[in-house]
Amino acid sequence: MTATTISTLRTGHVGINVTDLPRSLAFYGDVLGFDVLVEGKEDGRRFALLGRDGRLALALWQQADDSYAPARAGLHHLAFEVDTMDEVRAVETELRSLDVTFAYDGVVAHREGAASGGIFFHDPDGTRLEIYAPTGAEEAPAPNAAAPTCGFF
């Protein structure tokens, strides 16, 4: 099969290896608002399927020994889109109250002069995350003038 024969292709869900499932469930559930759809609690097979409105979005697998390594091949970052920049700023406020580590200070534009932008931060295992809105970042700085912001955090 070639790519031209695929009529519909979209991301279904993303699987992330984690070191401590309960800690990650607290972050992705309590902080980012995902619901646990299914949870496996067997020794050596701990996992959780997370979603919203019953639709699967993330699979967390407790099978990592170390935190996220940005220099290794694999996931660069995971981005979540919201409708407005007000929502981005509300999440930022909540994340700051929980001492989450941010890559940049505040909302940044995706590139110099872009309307889209958001916040860039790390989950408990160091996996790089982004929450952005398609508009509202016109006045926000871009940390990297010559390249997309989301590529270099």
Side-chain angles (χ1 to χ4, degrees):
M1 175 176 18
T2 65
T4 58
T5 63
I6 299 172
S7 62
T8 302
L9 182 66
R10 61 184 144 269
T11 303
H13 68 275
V14 175
I16 300 174
N17 285 337
V18 300
T19 59
D20 182 329
L21 187 61
R23 180 181 69 173
S24 292
L25 282 174
F27 180 82
Y28 285 96
D30 299 343
V31 176
L32 296 182
F34 285 101
D35 299 319
V36 176
L37 304 176
V38 175
E39 185 173 358
K41 297 181 179 185
E42 296 176 38
D43 285 339
R45 296 181 52 89
R46 305 250 357 240
F47 70 93
L49 304 180
L50 308 179
R52 286 184 169 211
D53 300 322
R55 183 182 170 119
L56 178 62
L58 293 173
L60 302 179
W61 305 97
Q62 184 174 301
Q63 56 189 26
D65 294 325
D66 293 315
S67 62
Y68 177 79
R72 297 189 65 185
L75 179 71
H76 182 274
H77 74 284
L78 177 57
F80 299 103
E81 182 180 335
V82 295
D83 291 333
T84 69
M85 196 54 66
D86 288 340
E87 290 174 275
V88 172
R89 289 190 171 92
V91 172
E92 177 189 12
T93 298
E94 185 172 348
L95 292 175
R96 288 200 185 281
S97 75
L98 299 169
D99 293 324
V100 169
T101 303
F102 283 79
Y104 306 116
D105 187 31
V107 171
V108 294
H110 278 140
R111 67 180 186 291
E112 199 69 41
S116 64
I119 55 173
F120 298 82
F121 56 100
H122 305 272
D123 81 355
D125 283 307
T127 300
R128 301 185 297 189
L129 302 172
E130 170 187 2
I131 295 180
Y132 75 96
T135 61
E138 293 85 354
E139 303 300 318
N144 300 295
T149 298
C150 60
F152 295 95
F153 75 100

